[in-house]
Amino acid sequence: MSISRRMMIGGSLAMLAACNGRFSSLFTSTDTHVLGYPTVQAVIRFGETLSAQTNGRLGVKMYAGGQLGNERDTLEITTFGGLDFNRVNLAPLNSIEPLTKVPALPFLFESTEHMRTAMDGDIGDEILASLEPHGLIGLCFYDSGSRSFYNTRGPINSPEDMVGLKLRVPGSDLYIGMIDSLGADAVPMPLDEVYQSLAQGVIDGAENNWPSFENGKHFEVARYYSLTRHLLAPEMFVMSKISWDKLSADDQALVRDTAKQSVIYMRELWDAQVAKSMEIVLASGVEVNEVDPAPFTEKMMGMWGDFIDTPQQQDLVDRILSLRKGTN
Ligand code: GTR
């Protein structure tokens, strides 16, 4: 994003905050998803709780639906203080901080429960804290279900079915490596370009969870959804360190606690959204198939070593693996 666009957005948001008499600090937050999506609603609830706790002194204005740009660009704006909060996938954080690659490794978590146990505890806190030197305060992790492949060609049953498929991924070397390991062609692109690219045949498919597959209307063009469930990576809610540093210690504690509390609400919304999205997709006649994960697991775990190259990353991987219960 150009410096002038970034300054324009930052400037107009600051003005908006200054013009609003009711809040002493009307924070801004953004999300690539539309109003009603669980992550968006959870952050709106976070803002309402902050406001209630401070008699309206603090509040949040949400810019949903990617209206301020894609995740990579808005994250950059957040780092520079033009936005106060942001909710993003781990993918755009992967190039900023290597520890964020750990929970984004394919087939690392054996279940949602395993992911939640790891990310709600010390392991998650260590990853959240690792962003501070990069100008971001990691506040909490939100659920993102499991990501599977969908495409316009036919059902995927084994990695052999994927050879030569052009599959969209978010811009992250880890995601690209994941697709390469299966013999498909990775096409990094922002989420808001996926529908059009599928419709025009620029790509053959992509991978995502039920809510994003449904919400982005990708299921209208990609009629095969193959349940590899290769990624159970969570997402992150962050604050700009520039905005954070302006808060009193009490307000910082309130922001952190309120964000952690919002996770409970987010998970309720998430489970309901997954059920609703599944229903819509299945009713539309999309062919959904179960997949034997074994050959995918072997190939995709084979690339972990390319992305885990520091002792701290390895330590996190080991601690996460030690929390497995063998439920898978
Ligand atoms: C979604 C996630 C978004 C975005 C998207 C993508 O599941 O909620 O933050 O990262 O995936 O694939 O770009």
Side-chain angles (χ1 to χ4, degrees), residues 32-33 71 87-89 144 147 168 170 191 208-209 212 235:
T32 191
H33 292 300
E71 291 188 350
R87 194 289 314 162
V88 289
N89 194 332
S144 192
R147 291 173 81 106
R168 175 270 171 178
L191 185 64
N208 223 314
N209 50 40
S212 292
E235 304 184 348

CSV table of all heavy atoms in Angstrom, one decimal, residues 32-33 71 87-89 144 147 168 170 191 208-209 212 235, ligand 1:
chain,number,residue,atom,x,y,z
A,32,THR,N,-11.4,-8.6,7.7
A,32,THR,CA,-11.6,-8.9,6.3
A,32,THR,C,-13.1,-9.5,6.1
A,32,THR,O,-13.6,-9.4,5.0
A,32,THR,CB,-10.6,-9.9,5.7
A,32,THR,OG1,-10.7,-10.0,4.3
A,32,THR,CG2,-10.7,-11.3,6.3
A,33,HIS,N,-13.6,-10.0,7.2
A,33,HIS,CA,-15.0,-10.6,7.1
A,33,HIS,C,-16.1,-9.6,7.3
A,33,HIS,O,-15.8,-8.5,7.9
A,33,HIS,CB,-15.1,-11.7,8.1
A,33,HIS,CG,-14.3,-12.9,7.8
A,33,HIS,ND1,-14.4,-13.7,6.7
A,33,HIS,CD2,-13.3,-13.5,8.5
A,33,HIS,CE1,-13.5,-14.6,6.7
A,33,HIS,NE2,-12.8,-14.6,7.8
A,71,GLU,N,-5.6,-8.1,4.6
A,71,GLU,CA,-5.0,-8.3,5.9
A,71,GLU,C,-3.6,-7.8,6.0
A,71,GLU,O,-3.2,-7.2,7.0
A,71,GLU,CB,-5.2,-9.8,6.3
A,71,GLU,CG,-6.6,-10.2,6.6
A,71,GLU,CD,-6.7,-11.6,7.2
A,71,GLU,OE1,-5.8,-12.3,7.3
A,71,GLU,OE2,-7.9,-11.9,7.6
A,87,ARG,N,-8.0,-7.9,13.4
A,87,ARG,CA,-8.2,-9.4,13.6
A,87,ARG,C,-7.8,-10.0,12.3
A,87,ARG,O,-8.3,-9.8,11.3
A,87,ARG,CB,-9.7,-9.7,13.9
A,87,ARG,CG,-10.0,-11.1,14.4
A,87,ARG,CD,-9.8,-12.2,13.4
A,87,ARG,NE,-10.4,-11.9,12.2
A,87,ARG,CZ,-10.1,-12.5,11.0
A,87,ARG,NH1,-9.3,-13.5,11.0
A,87,ARG,NH2,-10.7,-12.2,9.9
A,88,VAL,N,-6.8,-10.9,12.4
A,88,VAL,CA,-6.2,-11.5,11.2
A,88,VAL,C,-5.9,-13.0,11.4
A,88,VAL,O,-5.9,-13.5,12.5
A,88,VAL,CB,-4.8,-10.8,10.8
A,88,VAL,CG1,-5.0,-9.4,10.3
A,88,VAL,CG2,-3.9,-10.8,12.0
A,89,ASN,N,-5.8,-13.6,10.2
A,89,ASN,CA,-5.3,-15.0,10.2
A,89,ASN,C,-3.8,-15.0,10.6
A,89,ASN,O,-3.2,-13.9,10.6
A,89,ASN,CB,-5.4,-15.4,8.7
A,89,ASN,CG,-5.3,-16.9,8.5
A,89,ASN,OD1,-4.6,-17.6,9.2
A,89,ASN,ND2,-5.9,-17.4,7.4
A,144,SER,N,-10.7,-21.0,14.3
A,144,SER,CA,-10.9,-20.9,12.8
A,144,SER,C,-11.3,-22.2,12.2
A,144,SER,O,-11.2,-22.4,11.0
A,144,SER,CB,-9.6,-20.3,12.2
A,144,SER,OG,-9.9,-20.0,10.8
A,147,ARG,N,-9.3,-26.1,8.0
A,147,ARG,CA,-9.3,-25.8,6.6
A,147,ARG,C,-9.2,-27.0,5.7
A,147,ARG,O,-8.4,-27.9,6.1
A,147,ARG,CB,-8.1,-24.8,6.3
A,147,ARG,CG,-8.3,-23.4,6.9
A,147,ARG,CD,-7.1,-22.6,6.8
A,147,ARG,NE,-7.0,-21.9,5.5
A,147,ARG,CZ,-7.2,-20.6,5.2
A,147,ARG,NH1,-7.6,-19.8,6.2
A,147,ARG,NH2,-7.0,-20.1,4.0
A,168,ARG,N,-5.3,-21.3,-4.7
A,168,ARG,CA,-5.1,-20.1,-4.0
A,168,ARG,C,-4.7,-20.3,-2.5
A,168,ARG,O,-5.3,-21.2,-1.9
A,168,ARG,CB,-6.3,-19.2,-4.0
A,168,ARG,CG,-6.2,-17.9,-3.3
A,168,ARG,CD,-6.7,-18.0,-1.8
A,168,ARG,NE,-6.3,-16.8,-1.0
A,168,ARG,CZ,-6.6,-16.7,0.2
A,168,ARG,NH1,-7.3,-17.6,0.9
A,168,ARG,NH2,-6.3,-15.6,0.8
A,170,PRO,N,-3.3,-17.8,1.1
A,170,PRO,CA,-2.9,-16.5,1.6
A,170,PRO,C,-1.4,-16.3,1.4
A,170,PRO,O,-0.7,-17.3,1.3
A,170,PRO,CB,-3.3,-16.6,3.1
A,170,PRO,CG,-4.0,-17.8,3.3
A,170,PRO,CD,-3.7,-18.7,2.2
A,191,LEU,N,-7.9,-12.7,0.0
A,191,LEU,CA,-9.2,-13.4,0.0
A,191,LEU,C,-10.2,-12.8,-0.9
A,191,LEU,O,-11.0,-13.5,-1.5
A,191,LEU,CB,-9.7,-13.4,1.5
A,191,LEU,CG,-11.0,-14.2,1.8
A,191,LEU,CD1,-10.7,-15.7,1.6
A,191,LEU,CD2,-11.4,-13.9,3.2
A,208,ASN,N,-10.0,-23.6,2.8
A,208,ASN,CA,-10.5,-22.7,3.8
A,208,ASN,C,-11.5,-23.5,4.7
A,208,ASN,O,-11.8,-24.7,4.4
A,208,ASN,CB,-11.2,-21.5,3.3
A,208,ASN,CG,-10.8,-20.2,4.2
A,208,ASN,OD1,-10.8,-20.3,5.4
A,208,ASN,ND2,-10.4,-19.2,3.5
A,209,ASN,N,-12.0,-22.9,5.8
A,209,ASN,CA,-13.0,-23.5,6.6
A,209,ASN,C,-14.4,-23.4,6.1
A,209,ASN,O,-14.6,-22.6,5.1
A,209,ASN,CB,-12.9,-22.9,8.0
A,209,ASN,CG,-12.9,-21.4,8.0
A,209,ASN,OD1,-13.6,-20.8,7.2
A,209,ASN,ND2,-12.0,-20.8,8.8
A,212,SER,N,-15.8,-19.6,5.8
A,212,SER,CA,-15.2,-18.7,4.7
A,212,SER,C,-15.6,-19.3,3.4
A,212,SER,O,-15.8,-18.5,2.4
A,212,SER,CB,-13.7,-18.7,4.9
A,212,SER,OG,-13.3,-18.0,6.0
A,235,GLU,N,-6.8,-17.9,14.7
A,235,GLU,CA,-6.5,-16.5,14.2
A,235,GLU,C,-6.2,-15.6,15.4
A,235,GLU,O,-6.3,-16.0,16.5
A,235,GLU,CB,-7.8,-16.1,13.5
A,235,GLU,CG,-8.1,-17.1,12.4
A,235,GLU,CD,-9.3,-16.7,11.5
A,235,GLU,OE1,-10.0,-15.8,11.9
A,235,GLU,OE2,-9.5,-17.4,10.5
B,1,GTR,C1,-10.2,-17.1,6.7
B,1,GTR,C2,-9.7,-16.2,7.8
B,1,GTR,C3,-9.4,-14.8,7.3
B,1,GTR,C4,-8.5,-14.9,6.0
B,1,GTR,C5,-9.0,-16.1,5.1
B,1,GTR,C6,-8.0,-16.3,4.0
B,1,GTR,O1,-10.5,-18.4,7.3
B,1,GTR,O2,-10.7,-16.0,8.8
B,1,GTR,O3,-8.7,-14.1,8.3
B,1,GTR,O4,-7.2,-15.1,6.3
B,1,GTR,O5,-9.2,-17.3,5.8
B,1,GTR,O6,-7.8,-17.4,3.6
B,1,GTR,O7,-7.3,-15.4,3.5
